[in-house]
């Protein structure tokens, strides 16, 4: 019950966002709910599903009723619905069974199953139901179609099959329902009423629970497993690419306005640029974030994995900036400490590189440049590695301290999955849902690189605006920027 509720909430949510998720949701819903019915039992009863598919519900139920009735008259032991048990019957009895089917249904109806059951073990089945006028592709399509309709254990189609299973057992007198019981009434009325009849709601649930109770008596070994295996190999994956359609992008005009603002701040604070650590750190952080954003826009990686890494970094530097401004009251030299921490990190790498002596021709860091940076402000012997304020362990506390819990939960926490390559991120970006019902909805690698993600451009801009808003509390901003973006809530 709770599960249903959860699904409908999800679909409401996606609808509000105006994205066409519906086919994915319905498939995903099936996948999440794939029950023992689908995996362990459906292969046994596909022959019944094929008859209903061919003749329609009313005539199909009638055909199966005649088959079951006639089998029970010949031999109650023959009146069985499970295919694994049918093919285990001794040859003479199997022939009788198949003759009865062929009396009431045409041979081609079960022919799709012969693409699976064609070896010696199923020789008689193959003899009776092979049909060379229908191509293997057509048979496969029919089979997949029937599987799709019956895979979810509560569809009307699957309930019809489950009703027939009960019927076989009633005909064979393996189960008895007393007069006056609701299930007895349900069994009598079910084939007479259409599914939209009011009473059918109750009947369907009675049928399903009775059929499920019956299963405890039965065992079918690895028959279903072999069925799914054979069919899985016979059919191709049908990758389901989610199309997010037109997405809300970022704007080049914001990037330009932000760049012009940095330019303005430099012109107005030339003195600070030369001497003021805070000014240099603030502009450095802002420019670093803008460069990342420019790469996102120019390289069009907003809907890719790297876009999420970009957003995560922009979010993190904004939080660091605001956190430092908060701590500045107690620790005025925090800006200098930030620089020292970063250079200290570089010192570690440089010392390691000198030890290991990597092939610097090919390595992605430029050691001489790094060494120059390390010695820029003071000799490297005087650079300590202070990790207290800026280490990653306390990142959540920093978000809390500056009142940005939502930013942590909905941005940083999510995008970190992509940075660390955790399964949620891998599944969302690199593994595609397979919409082939005969594969029971698994996932396949996106080796054609088709699956895109929801774009981060809008969110990058959202966080950058926060960052610039923070900067505007330190330095006088140009009027054009205030006029255009000044209303942004912090
Ligand atoms: Zn597949």
């Amino acid at each position: 019950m709770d599960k249903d509720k959860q699904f409908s909430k999800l679909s409401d949510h996606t609808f509000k966002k105006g994205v066409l998720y519906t086919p994915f949701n319905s498939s995903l819903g099936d996948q999440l709910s794939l029950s023992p019915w689908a995996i362990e039992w459906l292969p046994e009863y596909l022959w019944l599903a094929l008859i209903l598919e061919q003749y329609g519900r009313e005539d199909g139920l009638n055909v199966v009723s005649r088959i079951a009735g006639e089998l029970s008259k010949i031999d109650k032991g023959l009146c069985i619905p499970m295919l694994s048990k049918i093919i285990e019957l001794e040859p003479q009895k199997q022939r009788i069974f198949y003759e009865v089917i062929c009396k009431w249904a045409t041979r081609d109806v079960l022919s799709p199953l012969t693409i699976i059951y064609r070896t010696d073990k199923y020789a008689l089945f193959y003899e009776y139901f092979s049909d060379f006028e229908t191509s293997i592709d057509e048979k496969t399509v029919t089979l997949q179609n029937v599987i799709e309709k019956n895979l979810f254990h509560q569809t009307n189609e699957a309930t019809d099959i489950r009703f027939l299973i009960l019927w076989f057992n009633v005909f064979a007198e393996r189960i008895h329902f007393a007069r006056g019981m609701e299930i007895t009434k349900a069994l009598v009325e079910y084939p007479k009423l259409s599914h939209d009849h009011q009473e059918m709601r109750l009947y369907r649930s009675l049928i399903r629970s009775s059929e499920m109770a019956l299963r405890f008596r039965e065992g079918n070994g690895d028959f279903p497993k072999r069925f799914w295996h054979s069919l899985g190999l016979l059919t191709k994956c049908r990758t389901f690419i989610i199309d997010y359609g037109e997405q809300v992008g970022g704007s080049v005009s914001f990037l330009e306005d932000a760049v012009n603002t940095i330019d303005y701040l430099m012109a107005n604070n030339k003195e600070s640029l030369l001497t003021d650590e805070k000014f240099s750190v603030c502009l450095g952080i802002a420019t670093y974030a803008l460069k990342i954003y420019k790469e996102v826009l120019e390289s069009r990686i907003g809907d890719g994995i790297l876009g999420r890494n970009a957003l995560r970094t922009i979010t993190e530097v904004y939080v660091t900036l605001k956190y430092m401004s908060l701590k500045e009251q107690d620790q005025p030299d925090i800006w200098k400490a930030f620089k020292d921490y970063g250079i200290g990190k570089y010192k570690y790498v440089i010392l390691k590189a000198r030890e290991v002596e990597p092939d610097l021709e090919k390595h992605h860091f430029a050691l001489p440049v790094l060494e120059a940076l390390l010695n820029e402000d003071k000799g490297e012997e005087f650079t300590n590695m202070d990790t207290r304020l800026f280490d990653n362990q306390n990142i959540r506390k920093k978000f809390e301290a500056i009142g940005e819990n939502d930013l942590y939960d909905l941005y940083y926490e999510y995008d970190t999955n992509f940075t660390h390559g955790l399964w949620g991120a891998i599944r969302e970006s690199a593994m595609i849902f397979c919409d082939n019902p005969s594969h029971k909805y698994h996932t396949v690698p996106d080796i054609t690189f088709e699956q895109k993600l929801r774009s981060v451009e809008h969110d990058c801009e959202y966080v950058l605006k926060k960052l610039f808003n923070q900067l505007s509390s330190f330095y006088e901003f140009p009027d054009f920027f205030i006029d255009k973006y000044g209303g942004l809530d912090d």
Side-chain angles (χ1 to χ4, degrees):
M1 200 66 169
D2 282 351
K3 221 177 199 180
D4 290 347
K5 213 171 175 186
Q6 200 182 342
F7 286 154
S8 67
K9 266 187 186 167
L10 176 67
S11 63
D12 287 347
H13 176 70
T14 52
F15 176 73
K16 276 181 208 152
K17 284 188 120 184
V19 179
L20 194 66
Y21 279 101
T22 324
F24 180 65
N25 271 356
S26 68
S27 300
L28 187 64
D30 286 351
Q31 185 197 26
L32 292 177
S33 307
L34 271 193
S35 58
W37 161 256
I39 295 162
E40 292 164 28
W41 298 99
L42 182 58
E44 295 279 5
Y45 307 121
L46 276 173
W47 71 280
L48 297 170
L50 285 166
I51 293 175
L52 293 190
E53 177 72 9
Q54 173 76 16
Y55 294 100
R57 182 172 185 264
E58 198 180 333
D59 290 347
L61 290 175
N62 200 21
V63 166
V64 178
S65 152
R66 284 167 193 275
I67 293 171
E70 188 161 338
L71 287 168
S72 71
K73 272 185 204 145
I74 299 167
D75 175 358
K76 292 223 171 354
L78 268 184
C79 190
I80 43 178
M82 286 169 70
L83 191 56
S84 66
K85 300 260 191 282
I86 297 167
I87 52 139
E88 277 171 9
L89 290 169
E90 55 186 81
Q92 191 50 33
K93 288 191 172 179
Q94 246 185 94
R95 282 192 185 278
I96 296 171
F97 200 107
Y98 301 150
E99 292 289 348
V100 172
I101 293 179
C102 293
K103 182 174 168 187
W104 299 105
T106 53
R107 284 169 188 268
D108 61 303
V109 179
L110 301 195
S111 73
L113 286 171
T114 60
I115 60 171
I116 306 285
Y117 305 118
R118 51 194 306 137
T119 56
D120 291 352
K121 196 173 175 187
Y122 312 102
L124 279 177
F125 186 86
Y126 190 76
E127 181 190 318
Y128 275 85
F129 302 109
S130 58
D131 162 28
F132 300 104
E133 282 174 25
T134 321
S135 71
I136 289 186
D137 282 351
E138 284 172 300
K139 286 172 188 158
T140 310
V141 168
T142 308
L143 208 51
Q144 281 185 300
N145 189 19
V146 166
I147 289 171
E148 194 160 16
K149 284 183 183 167
N150 291 283
L151 203 53
F152 183 57
H153 64 294
Q154 287 187 337
T155 59
N156 290 344
E157 287 86 352
T159 310
D160 285 347
I161 306 298
R162 299 172 74 176
F163 163 76
L164 289 175
I165 298 163
L166 287 176
W167 239 15
F168 264 86
N169 283 284
V170 169
F171 270 115
E173 295 181 4
R174 274 190 292 274
I175 48 170
H176 301 272
F177 295 110
R179 252 176 230 284
M181 280 174 78
E182 273 186 317
I183 179 64
T184 313
K185 195 177 168 204
L187 282 170
V188 173
E189 296 297 318
Y190 187 89
K192 298 180 196 162
L193 302 174
S194 70
H195 276 296
D196 47 20
H197 198 281
Q198 206 183 341
E199 288 290 299
M200 286 295 267
R201 245 182 121 81
L202 171 69
Y203 293 162
R204 277 192 299 266
S205 82
L206 285 168
I207 299 277
R208 289 194 293 258
S209 55
S210 303
E211 183 272 324
M212 202 150 91
L214 200 64
R215 284 186 218 161
F216 291 106
R217 294 192 201 170
E218 310 284 1
N220 57 356
D222 63 353
F223 178 84
K225 200 173 161 190
R226 277 187 279 124
F227 169 83
W228 289 119
H229 180 72
S230 308
L231 189 64
L233 295 181
L234 271 173
T235 56
K236 283 185 185 159
C237 284
R238 220 160 63 186
T239 49
F240 189 93
I241 307 287
I242 304 170
D243 181 3
Y244 290 108
E246 197 65 32
Q247 301 206 48
V248 184
S251 62
V252 175
S253 74
F254 172 77
L255 182 68
E256 284 169 358
D257 291 340
V259 169
N260 288 334
T261 300
I262 301 269
D263 198 24
Y264 173 93
L265 292 179
M266 287 196 302
N268 274 15
N269 302 273
K270 202 134 206 180
E271 177 70 22
S272 300
L273 194 60
L274 299 172
T275 56
D276 188 341
E277 300 284 14
K278 177 179 179 179
F279 189 69
S280 139
V281 167
C282 286
L283 257 55
I285 284 179
T287 308
Y288 186 70
L290 284 179
K291 283 198 78 165
I292 293 172
Y293 185 44
K294 187 164 190 286
E295 287 182 21
V296 169
L297 294 180
E298 275 189 356
S299 307
R300 298 172 184 265
I301 54 169
D303 57 2
I305 296 165
L306 286 182
R308 274 143 173 75
N309 288 342
L311 175 58
R312 179 185 187 266
T313 307
I314 292 173
T315 306
E316 185 162 359
V317 296
Y318 156 64
V319 169
T320 304
L321 177 71
K322 195 166 174 190
Y323 181 72
M324 285 193 286
S325 72
L326 193 73
K327 287 279 162 190
E328 187 184 17
Q329 289 140 7
D330 302 329
Q331 192 183 339
D333 69 341
I334 191 158
W335 311 99
K336 179 79 177 72
F338 175 74
K339 280 182 158 184
D340 287 348
Y341 171 75
I343 293 298
K345 286 287 218 188
Y346 261 38
K347 181 175 179 178
Y348 174 82
V349 179
I350 289 164
L351 293 180
K352 277 283 162 202
R354 285 177 187 156
E355 264 175 51
V356 180
E357 295 181 358
D359 179 359
L360 292 173
E361 286 284 308
K362 293 174 184 162
H363 209 288
H364 79 287
F365 66 74
L367 189 58
V369 177
L370 265 55
E371 282 173 328
L373 296 179
L374 177 60
N375 290 286
E376 196 169 51
D377 287 345
K378 57 185 177 186
E380 63 175 86
E381 298 306 323
F382 301 100
T383 297
N384 298 317
M385 285 177 273
D386 182 352
T387 60
R388 283 167 300 176
L389 276 168
F390 305 105
D391 64 346
N392 287 326
Q393 306 300 321
N394 291 319
I395 187 80
R396 171 150 217 156
K397 285 185 187 143
K398 286 183 191 132
F399 279 82
E400 269 171 27
I402 62 165
E404 290 282 14
N405 280 330
D406 285 353
L407 210 55
Y408 182 86
D409 293 331
L410 301 178
Y411 289 69
Y412 191 84
E413 181 78 17
Y414 166 64
D415 294 317
T416 295
N417 287 282
F418 288 83
T419 307
H420 294 316
L422 300 181
W423 184 253
I426 293 172
R427 171 64 187 82
E428 188 186 350
S429 60
M431 297 296 283
I432 304 181
F433 182 73
C434 169
D435 200 24
N436 177 347
S438 34
H439 288 188
K440 296 177 291 174
Y441 304 128
H442 64 136
T443 53
V444 280
D446 180 21
I447 47 172
T448 49
F449 306 110
E450 284 171 88
Q451 183 61 64
K452 301 291 180 215
L453 301 164
R454 293 271 295 163
S455 174
V456 296
E457 286 185 12
H458 175 265
D459 289 335
C460 284
E461 202 169 299
Y462 170 71
V463 180
L464 278 167
K465 281 175 182 164
K466 281 174 171 286
L467 193 154
F468 271 72
N469 199 46
Q470 183 62 38
L471 271 190
S472 74
S473 70
F474 302 147
Y475 306 106
E476 197 192 329
F477 261 39
D479 290 342
F480 79 88
F481 194 93
I482 301 287
D483 290 347
K484 212 163 164 184
Y485 309 105
L488 186 81
D489 283 333
D490 186 26

